[in-house]
Amino acid sequence: MKYVHEFRDPQRAQGILRQIEAIAAQFPPGSPGSSASDRPLRIMEICGGHTHAIFKYGLADLLPDTVELIHGPGCPVCIMPKGRLDDAITLAQNPQVILTTFGDVLRVPGSSQSLLQAKAQGADIRVVYSPLDALQIAIAHPDREVVFFAIGFETTAPSTALTVLQAAAQGVSNFSLFCNHVLVVPALEALLNQPDLQLDGFIGPGHVSMVIGARPYRVIAERYGKPVVVSGFEPVDILQSLWMVLDQLVTGRCTVENQYSRLVAEDGNAVALGAIAQVFTVREQFEWRGLGEIPASGLRIHPDYAQFDAEVKFSLPHPHVDDHRACACGDILRGVKKPWECKVFGTACTPDSPLGACMVSSEGACAAYYNYGQLDRRRPATSSASLAPSHSSRVRR
């Protein structure tokens, strides 16, 4: 398949791996001048799609021991705090409301139940593939209030914004959003302000960057001194991006580079950004699971479109709910712990019976580790880049 096979080419991957090994050899732990004085170089991939691809193709197992990939908070399902899920369940339990949302949110546990359990108890909750589907449900049920539980980064915010504009143009009055859209750059700054998380660079998210472009990450390079390389999602994309980050480190450069230039423009997508700017405004604070309240990191409906804001139409409790004491989702989302360091990972918490959001979402780090057999810290004895998708060969701890 054109435009895909070349990014899964084993020979290309092996060539890049050899270059990565050569660069990494210049940063042995304890080397003078290295930012990694007593540890591997720690490069964070922000996007859950990258985490999934890294384990699907076994890329982490091909890297030298002096390079470690850290998995960031780039899965929109994983970072949703329990309190916002409880709010969504409160909305769904209103007999006048039809709650619509994407299917991957349904099994995420709230403080006492999930949306799926609320649906089983009679709440009218419907899975949609886009916000426009929710708008069509509202048009078909003028006697009910249809609320779209909107989640996601800047990737999905444009489609939500365009749906609000269409609802306004059509005069639909029984449609609203419970808006939980979040912004990626403030989350990265929050991570970099935490003293217990030492990072050397970032593999930037491809999907978000298709909307916002590469320019917004300059603050990460200029203020925090960390290289950022925006990356595609195929294995050669990710390896090349990692090499580009390492090349910046070894040559003493620190900037934003765009490996995914076939789809990402420097200034992003003007139409999508225009729709976001018209419909949304930035919240002063937004709570992230594992990261707490982060200033200017979430979107809400602009007052000009308040008739479509479920938080204006309905009284929502907005509770703060701590995670399950045994669940380490918060530390995993911050990159402080690996999934196998959580004491319930793979035992009490599995994809069939998840305790935390990182196991529920297919893009969550715990689900990626579990589904591709990474149940402990041992590395398979792999030395070549076959780039064949890995299959689960689970090893019990």
Side-chain angles (χ1 to χ4, degrees):
M1 184 184 298
K2 194 174 182 182
Y3 304 126
V4 174
H5 285 173
E6 55 267 53
F7 296 103
R8 298 177 182 173
D9 183 345
Q11 290 187 340
R12 286 191 180 189
Q14 288 169 352
I16 297 171
L17 278 167
R18 286 193 290 272
Q19 295 179 56
I20 288 174
E21 291 169 355
I23 288 182
Q26 300 180 54
F27 287 103
S31 61
S34 168
S35 60
S37 57
D38 58 356
R39 58 172 173 78
L41 291 165
R42 293 162 61 88
I43 311 301
M44 174 176 278
E45 87 275 1
I46 302 162
C47 179
H50 284 148
T51 303
H52 181 81
I54 285 166
F55 285 98
K56 179 179 179 181
Y57 293 102
L59 302 183
D61 299 327
L62 303 174
L63 299 178
D65 290 339
T66 49
V67 177
E68 181 182 7
L69 292 175
I70 306 297
H71 319 300
C75 167
V77 175
C78 299
I79 58 92
M80 192 59 52
K82 282 188 173 182
R84 304 293 288 189
L85 290 161
D86 284 354
D87 281 343
I89 292 169
T90 298
L91 281 169
Q93 290 171 334
N94 184 329
Q96 296 303 313
V97 169
I98 300 173
L99 186 81
T100 59
T101 189
F102 300 129
D104 52 357
V105 184
L106 259 61
R107 293 197 308 130
V108 182
S111 61
S112 60
Q113 62 180 173
S114 66
L115 284 168
L116 191 62
Q117 290 168 321
K119 180 178 175 64
Q121 294 171 0
D124 195 346
I125 301 171
R126 305 186 188 186
V127 174
V128 294
Y129 292 100
S130 79
L132 281 174
D133 292 342
L135 180 59
Q136 291 306 311
I137 292 173
I139 293 171
H141 298 81
D143 56 331
R144 305 277 301 278
E145 177 71 21
V146 175
V147 179
F148 177 60
F149 182 23
I151 71 164
F153 287 84
E154 292 95 330
T155 316
T156 53
S159 62
T160 308
L162 290 168
T163 301
V164 169
L165 294 176
Q166 184 162 332
Q170 295 182 238
V172 181
S173 60
N174 64 322
F175 174 74
S176 58
L177 300 179
F178 178 37
C179 182
N180 294 274
H181 286 301
V182 290
L183 306 173
V184 71
V185 173
L188 298 185
E189 293 192 78
L191 283 171
L192 290 167
N193 287 326
Q194 296 192 16
D196 58 342
L197 182 61
Q198 297 174 312
L199 297 173
D200 297 290
F202 290 96
I203 295 176
H207 293 150
V208 164
S209 305
M210 289 167 62
V211 175
I212 68 173
R215 189 183 300 276
Y217 303 108
R218 288 185 180 180
V219 65
I220 304 301
E222 295 170 358
R223 184 178 301 170
Y224 297 93
K226 306 298 180 186
V228 180
V229 175
V230 177
S231 176
F233 292 88
E234 297 298 332
V236 169
D237 286 323
I238 296 171
L239 290 174
Q240 185 179 25
S241 299
L242 178 58
W243 174 82
M244 292 167 71
V245 172
L246 297 177
D247 185 64
Q248 287 197 44
L249 292 173
V250 78
T251 57
R253 297 180 295 118
C254 183
T255 186
V256 179
E257 295 180 325
N258 183 10
Q259 184 276 337
Y260 205 24
S261 58
R262 62 186 186 276
L263 287 178
V264 173
E266 179 69 12
D267 293 313
N269 184 314
V271 173
L273 291 172
I276 291 175
Q278 183 174 352
V279 172
F280 296 118
T281 186
V282 177
R283 296 177 188 266
E284 290 186 4
Q285 301 273 344
F286 191 81
E287 181 185 358
W288 291 55
R289 178 171 288 191
L291 301 178
E293 297 279 350
I294 302 177
S297 66
L299 298 175
R300 70 179 313 151
I301 304 287
H302 192 281
D304 290 349
Y305 296 92
Q307 69 269 34
F308 301 107
D309 190 345
E311 292 179 79
V312 173
K313 284 186 172 182
F314 300 93
S315 176
L316 296 175
H318 294 317
H320 170 76
V321 183
D322 291 330
D323 281 334
H324 192 288
R325 285 190 299 175
C327 176
C329 270
D331 287 339
I332 292 165
L333 286 167
R334 292 191 300 125
V336 174
K337 286 186 176 180
K338 297 289 189 182
W340 38 258
E341 293 179 288
C342 174
K343 55 188 175 184
V344 294
F345 171 71
T347 54
C349 184
T350 68
D352 291 333
S353 181
L355 285 181
C358 295
M359 188 63 90
V360 176
S361 171
S362 62
E363 293 189 348
C366 293
Y369 271 67
Y370 187 92
N371 288 327
Y372 294 105
Q374 301 285 329
L375 292 191
D376 63 15
R377 62 190 310 165
R378 288 175 291 174
R379 283 185 166 191
T382 304
S383 59
S384 62
S386 67
L387 299 192
S390 298
H391 299 287
S392 298
S393 56
R394 296 177 182 131
V395 180
R396 307 303 306 177
R397 287 193 289 185

